[in-house]
Amino acid sequence: MAFLADRLNKFEPSPTLAITARARELKAAGRDVIGFGAGEPDFDTPEHIRAAAVRAIAEGQTRYTNVGGTPLLKKTICEKFRRDNNLHYTPEEVTASNGGKQILFNLFLATLNPGDEVLLPAPAWVSYAEMIRFAEAVPVPIYAGPEQNYLITPEQLRAAITPKTRMFILNSPCNPTGATFAKKELAAICEVLLEHPNILIASDDIYEHIIFDGLRFYNPAMLVPELKDRTFIINGVSKAYSMTGWRIGVGAGPEEIVRNMEKIQGQCSSNPSSVSQAAAVAALGEDQECVETMRQAFEQRRDLVFRMLQSIDGIRAIKPQGAFYIFPDVSEIYEWPRFQKLLKDDPQKSRVFCSHLLDHYDVATVAGTAFGDDNAFRISYALDESSLRKGLERLGNMVNDLR
Ligand code: PMP
Ligand code: GLU
């Protein structure tokens, strides 16, 4: 088409957003769709956070702010890191954007040169690789499958490092697998990173608070103080405070990187919404009880979903220890003759599996191929219990019909 840029050929549209939109459309058309697609909590934003936003509007906090957030938001972000992570940052070392997504985008544009290699443990969230390509750098997946609980080993990391490696991305708890590093395993990963001082660590901590089985959250800067100077933390209010629509993400790391991310943001979107910033101050700075209440609900749902999946023959699920996703392996079902009949021209089996589930059983999920693993598909279990049961029963019916 005449008016489109070549740049568009370098990356794909977001499949997680696409499936969410499709499920929404089908529901609007009257179909009783169970939405396991959207990666967002189903809870309302807690009342005290909404009230802070209403107050901000009434008080006239409706103008441009500093690009990387108001002084109050920056101070609150510093306090959050001190309280939750025992990490000390100055306001110059933290910044706010339109979601964790824009933090990542700014970070990649500010730190990656064309041809730089970015190590990306996979399966990985859909947007990392596309954003890395947008910055003309090269995503290098390090694949860890179900047999290793979807966690990469230090040996795999070491083997993937080349002179061109510029960055390592860590996302624990992980979207889409829910895999979460325990302290010891993460420490072993950090040992390897310590040997390579030229690698910047991007730690996407967005699921920090959604963690189960009494596990404690760690990132490399918390675990190994020597790594703090080259760790950049990505976080936000979307998941922990059920605030996906407010679009506030936060970042913390070396001042020079923050300054240059803000330089990019200043020529692109300027500050994130002033009203959302006021809401984020309440979320990050006030009572944290809502976070634990939602975490407990997610843990109960995890238990239910895992149990129900275990009872479906042909599905192999690894118990997630964080986030609100499970990533069941269905490669056994791919071998069944009835499934093979469904495969027409689409070589991506997980896509055929998920389309069949949506078209004939009214359950929306995301194909594993979007995350770099065609053997599996992603269920987001951020739904009430009765919807979860209904959706999983439908999945069980589909598998039975295919058997
Ligand atoms: N990182 C990961 C791993 C995510 O799953 C998401 C959710 N889309 C984000 C970052 C960004 O979330 P947000 O832009 O809503 O802060
Ligand atoms: N993190 C969510 C997901 O993975 C939200 C959608 C997106 O931004 O990708 O589904």
Side-chain angles (χ1 to χ4, degrees):
M1 209 298 237
F3 296 108
L4 296 179
D6 297 343
R7 176 181 311 117
L8 289 166
N9 302 326
K10 287 207 186 118
F11 64 97
E12 300 289 326
S14 165
T16 45
L17 295 182
I19 190 78
T20 311
R22 176 130 184 255
R24 211 180 277 134
E25 246 171 54
L26 290 172
K27 270 189 212 162
R31 291 249 307 261
D32 170 32
V33 172
I34 301 288
F36 287 159
E40 64 177 343
D42 57 320
F43 304 107
D44 285 333
T45 300
E47 179 53 37
H48 70 282
I49 300 174
R50 285 186 284 162
V54 171
R55 240 179 1 256
I57 295 173
E59 288 167 3
Q61 292 181 39
T62 54
R63 300 182 188 280
Y64 293 136
T65 71
N66 291 346
V67 169
T70 61
L72 179 59
L73 178 58
K74 286 207 171 194
K75 183 168 158 267
T76 310
I77 294 171
C78 294
E79 281 160 11
K80 171 255 168 304
F81 281 112
R82 220 171 358 245
R83 177 191 65 220
D84 296 343
N85 311 102
N86 195 26
L87 289 173
H88 298 261
Y89 292 105
T90 65
E92 293 74 32
E93 294 171 314
V94 304
T95 188
S97 295
N98 291 286
K101 241 177 184 166
Q102 195 184 13
I103 295 280
L104 284 161
F105 206 79
N106 291 342
L107 175 68
F108 295 159
L109 288 183
T111 58
L112 297 174
N113 280 316
D116 282 349
E117 293 179 358
V118 180
L119 301 180
L120 183 57
W125 176 47
V126 295
S127 292
Y128 297 126
E130 308 307 322
M131 290 193 203
I132 292 164
R133 286 194 196 99
F134 201 95
E136 298 180 64
V138 183
V140 179
I142 309 177
Y143 180 75
E147 60 292 338
Q148 54 188 98
N149 290 332
Y150 293 117
L151 292 170
I152 63 157
T153 62
E155 292 73 32
Q156 283 182 294
L157 173 59
R158 190 174 279 116
I161 294 172
T162 77
K164 285 187 174 169
T165 306
R166 206 76 213 128
M167 186 187 278
F168 169 69
I169 296 187
L170 178 72
N171 176 220
S172 166
C174 170
N175 176 4
T177 61
T180 305
F181 276 101
K183 186 177 183 182
K184 192 162 148 241
E185 282 72 35
L186 186 61
I189 295 287
C190 289
E191 284 293 313
V192 179
L193 293 166
L194 273 171
E195 294 162 17
H196 297 274
N198 295 331
I199 299 180
L200 178 67
I201 304 160
S203 184
D204 184 344
D205 298 358
I206 198 118
Y207 297 102
E208 155 180 29
H209 293 297
I210 306 174
I211 189 164
F212 313 134
D213 306 325
L215 215 60
R216 271 196 66 187
F217 171 82
Y218 290 97
N219 64 35
M222 291 165 74
L223 210 49
V224 183
E226 299 96 290
L227 289 177
K228 181 174 175 245
D229 287 350
R230 55 186 174 99
T231 298
F232 195 93
I233 297 174
I234 300 97
N235 209 321
V237 296
S238 285
K239 317 289 175 176
Y241 303 91
S242 201
M243 290 177 70
T244 47
W246 299 77
R247 311 308 303 132
I248 297 287
V250 308
E255 185 178 337
E256 195 182 13
I257 295 182
V258 166
R259 194 168 55 247
N260 283 288
M261 287 169 62
E262 292 185 357
K263 175 174 165 187
I264 292 168
Q265 187 166 304
Q267 294 293 20
C268 160
S269 58
S270 302
N271 61 277
S273 154
S274 56
V275 175
S276 295
Q277 288 188 56
V281 167
L284 296 171
E286 293 180 12
D287 192 356
Q288 299 298 299
E289 200 185 313
C290 58
V291 176
E292 173 59 15
T293 307
M294 292 191 267
R295 189 203 67 74
Q296 284 176 11
F298 284 128
E299 184 155 0
Q300 280 167 12
R301 293 165 177 190
R302 188 275 316 253
D303 291 342
L304 171 71
V305 169
F306 182 65
R307 218 174 34 244
M308 287 187 75
L309 284 171
Q310 274 187 310
S311 71
I312 305 176
D313 271 351
I315 290 188
R316 174 179 172 209
I318 301 295
K319 196 174 194 179
Q321 291 199 290
F324 39 69
Y325 309 106
I326 189 161
F327 199 59
D329 183 297
V330 285
S331 50
E332 188 187 322
I333 297 174
Y334 294 167
E335 304 304 319
W336 299 352
R338 286 204 183 113
F339 180 80
Q340 299 217 326
K341 273 201 200 129
L342 300 176
L343 290 172
K344 292 186 191 99
D345 301 329
D346 196 336
Q348 317 261 265
K349 297 186 176 86
S350 59
R351 216 151 55 193
V352 172
F353 186 92
C354 292
S355 299
H356 191 64
L357 185 58
L358 179 58
D359 294 342
H360 300 279
Y361 297 83
D362 284 339
V363 179
T365 55
V366 186
T369 180
F371 305 95
D373 187 348
D374 196 34
N375 283 338
F377 72 110
R378 188 188 80 174
I379 291 175
S380 168
Y381 55 82
L383 284 182
D384 62 89
E385 191 181 316
S386 89
S387 303
L388 289 176
R389 285 185 189 279
K390 204 153 128 185
L392 290 162
E393 274 159 20
R394 291 180 190 177
L395 171 66
N397 292 341
M398 173 173 123
V399 174
N400 276 336
D401 294 344
L402 287 173
R403 199 182 310 278

